[in-house]
Amino acid sequence: MTVNFGVVLVTAASEAEAENLAKSLVEHKLAACVSLSAIRSIYTWQGEIHAESEWQLVIKTDLAKFEALKTKVQELHSYEVPEIIAIPIIAGSDAYLNWLGKSLSL
Amino acid sequence: MTVNFGVVLVTAASEAEAENLAKSLVEHKLAACVSLSAIRSIYTWQGEIHAESEWQLVIKTDLAKFEALKTKVQELHSYEVPEIIAIPIIAGSDAYLNWLGKSLSL
Amino acid sequence: MTVNFGVVLVTAASEAEAENLAKSLVEHKLAACVSLSAIRSIYTWQGEIHAESEWQLVIKTDLAKFEALKTKVQELHSYEVPEIIAIPIIAGSDAYLNWLGKSLSL
């Protein structure tokens, strides 16, 4: 199976922001399905360690849409540099991948 | 390291369904370890946007077992088209990967 | 994009252990960002099925640091054989990946 489907990870500042991003991506056919969950994030920013509550988006999509998805997230996101990273899907049930493809076609 | 271990993502309708799927996969040596967490999923179905509470299964396994794992999930699952997608593990601690392999051998 | 960034998954016995591991990895420039979330894990150990509450670490890093990261986790972890597995990042926003790289450089 050529790698074209993928999972894109994005974090958001709040549940409301996460839901808004997810709904916009699904409405614009840039994601077939997005799952949301509460997380705590630990990272450095300007030399100091931060621990913040965030929301994780796990976005199932076709990576041919990655650039458009990235642009839409950056357009809507409250952060200057939001996390937007893609992981390959290398196998899947045919029925699910067909559904994924259909959900993304205009 | 040849890519044979992987992480399979499945979503379930409830905690009870998630736990039932996870226990069955582990009992049948189709998964070494399954983690469960509560999520909210946003997707379109027949043209409408849905937002549902679900449970995410993160299944650690050998991708040589993917077809059997997929068949078992489809057999037990309440959905007509459950999410079943695989992501490659490209590195790991030897001790953990050995444990993973042993847990899967009959 | 050559695959050098990746996501490393580790599970911990408690929130305190997860936070301690995450802060140490970030302080030692072995991770740029670590997200923590509560999970339940189902697995077999010495022939019996176990269901335990754990915490999932999702570690964003450069996989060139995987060996050092693995050694640090094993040094600090309460388990004899902790989960330490790596998944490839195959695309990302340039701004985020630049930040990721800078956060890891000494």
Side-chain angles (χ1 to χ4, degrees):
Chain A
M1 187 194 84
T2 52
V3 175
N4 47 17
F5 291 114
V7 172
V8 177
L9 302 180
V10 169
T11 56
S14 67
E15 185 172 14
E17 179 167 65
E19 190 150 321
N20 181 51
L21 287 165
K23 285 186 174 168
S24 176
L25 293 174
V26 170
E27 271 159 20
H28 290 87
K29 308 271 182 193
L30 296 173
C33 173
V34 183
S35 73
L36 312 179
S37 57
I39 57 171
R40 241 150 68 74
S41 289
I42 293 179
Y43 59 93
T44 47
W45 186 262
Q46 290 153 352
E48 285 202 14
I49 299 230
H50 294 253
E52 308 279 353
S53 296
E54 287 193 308
W55 279 72
Q56 181 75 63
L57 286 83
V58 177
I59 302 162
K60 272 69 65 129
T61 190
D62 178 344
L63 292 182
K65 299 203 171 203
F66 181 77
E67 285 306 315
L69 182 154
K70 185 187 74 173
T71 304
K72 178 57 71 181
V73 168
Q74 288 169 332
E75 183 194 305
L76 298 174
H77 210 293
S78 61
Y79 296 174
E80 204 192 307
V81 181
E83 169 187 292
I84 311 171
I85 48 180
I87 291 166
I89 292 174
I90 58 168
S93 86
D94 291 339
Y96 181 76
L97 295 180
N98 288 340
W99 172 80
L100 213 140
K102 270 194 211 121
S103 304
L104 293 164
S105 58
L106 293 180
Chain B
M1 189 194 82
T2 53
V3 175
N4 45 19
F5 290 114
V7 172
V8 177
L9 302 181
V10 170
T11 56
S14 66
E15 185 172 14
E17 179 167 67
E19 189 149 322
N20 181 51
L21 286 165
K23 284 187 172 166
S24 177
L25 292 174
V26 169
E27 271 159 18
H28 290 86
K29 308 272 182 193
L30 296 172
C33 174
V34 183
S35 73
L36 312 178
S37 56
I39 56 170
R40 242 147 71 70
S41 290
I42 294 180
Y43 59 93
T44 48
W45 186 261
Q46 290 152 353
E48 286 201 13
I49 300 230
H50 294 253
E52 308 278 354
S53 296
E54 287 194 306
W55 278 71
Q56 182 74 61
L57 287 82
V58 177
I59 302 163
K60 272 71 63 133
T61 190
D62 178 344
L63 293 181
K65 299 204 171 204
F66 181 76
E67 286 304 316
L69 183 155
K70 185 187 73 173
T71 304
K72 178 58 69 181
V73 168
Q74 288 169 333
E75 182 194 304
L76 297 174
H77 211 291
S78 61
Y79 297 174
E80 204 192 308
V81 181
E83 169 186 292
I84 311 172
I85 48 179
I87 290 166
I89 293 174
I90 58 167
S93 86
D94 292 338
Y96 181 77
L97 294 181
N98 289 341
W99 171 80
L100 212 144
K102 271 193 210 122
S103 303
L104 293 164
S105 58
L106 293 178
Chain C
M1 191 195 84
T2 52
V3 175
N4 48 17
F5 291 114
V7 172
V8 177
L9 301 180
V10 170
T11 56
S14 67
E15 185 172 14
E17 178 166 67
E19 190 151 322
N20 182 50
L21 286 165
K23 284 186 173 168
S24 177
L25 292 174
V26 170
E27 272 159 19
H28 290 86
K29 307 273 181 192
L30 297 172
C33 174
V34 183
S35 72
L36 312 178
S37 57
I39 57 171
R40 241 149 69 72
S41 290
I42 293 179
Y43 58 93
T44 48
W45 187 262
Q46 289 153 355
E48 285 201 14
I49 300 230
H50 294 253
E52 308 278 354
S53 295
E54 287 193 307
W55 279 72
Q56 182 75 63
L57 287 83
V58 177
I59 303 163
K60 272 69 64 126
T61 189
D62 178 344
L63 293 181
K65 299 204 171 203
F66 181 76
E67 286 305 318
L69 182 154
K70 185 187 74 173
T71 303
K72 178 58 70 180
V73 168
Q74 288 168 332
E75 182 194 308
L76 297 173
H77 211 292
S78 61
Y79 296 175
E80 204 191 307
V81 180
E83 169 186 291
I84 312 172
I85 48 180
I87 290 167
I89 292 173
I90 58 167
S93 88
D94 292 338
Y96 181 77
L97 295 181
N98 288 340
W99 171 80
L100 213 141
K102 270 194 210 123
S103 303
L104 293 164
S105 59
L106 292 180

